[in-house]
Amino acid sequence: QVQLVESGGGLVQPGGSLRLSCAASGSISSIRTMGWYRQAPGNQREPVASVKSGGITTYADSVKGRFTISTDSAKNTVYLQMNTLKPEDTAVYYCQAIIAAVARPLVFRDYWGQGTQVTVSS
């Protein structure tokens, strides 16, 4: 019933910037949380940033001061502005959201996007 579609990944040089977008579509009653995870080859998937309804944001220590998460509630979209990118930021970035598809019953579930590749290299 709910789909998350990411966009904005690509190849950038160290120190560059990218802006990721994730739009939720389908049957959406309410969104509790939207955020971003990333996974590099050989590594476990790790949380990067999230924002809860009400605007409370959380960042991994590794990206604090460089990444900014924001939302557009009218579009059911979450963004991740990534500045001063480093090679260690290279990973597949996944959008994640906790969404209730319908109001009755109001049941929240985790949804995941397909992932978008971010490569930081010279």
Side-chain angles (χ1 to χ4, degrees):
Q1 287 185 292
V2 175
Q3 290 185 331
L4 303 179
V5 180
E6 302 106 327
S7 62
L11 173 65
V12 296
Q13 294 189 342
S17 298
L18 282 174
R19 191 189 195 200
L20 306 183
S21 299
C22 173
S25 62
S27 179
I28 299 173
S29 178
S30 59
I31 300 176
R32 177 179 290 169
T33 304
M34 297 190 80
W36 296 90
Y37 286 69
R38 67 186 182 187
Q39 186 169 23
N43 293 354
Q44 59 188 252
R45 189 173 298 186
E46 62 180 3
V48 176
S50 67
V51 58
K52 298 180 179 179
S53 60
I56 300 173
T57 58
T58 302
Y59 296 94
D61 288 342
S62 59
V63 307
K64 286 181 179 177
R66 300 188 298 119
F67 291 10
T68 302
I69 190 169
S70 61
T71 59
D72 184 334
S73 59
K75 298 180 180 179
N76 290 325
T77 299
V78 63
Y79 306 94
L80 186 67
Q81 179 67 46
M82 305 185 294
N83 298 325
T84 319
L85 283 161
K86 304 175 181 179
E88 49 263 47
D89 295 318
T90 296
V92 177
Y93 284 70
Y94 296 91
C95 179
Q96 183 264 353
I98 301 174
I99 294 172
V102 298
R104 297 287 185 272
L106 185 63
V107 177
F108 287 90
R109 302 181 186 276
D110 289 354
Y111 295 90
W112 292 87
Q114 80 285 354
T116 185
Q117 178 71 48
V118 172
T119 302
V120 185
S121 176
S122 298

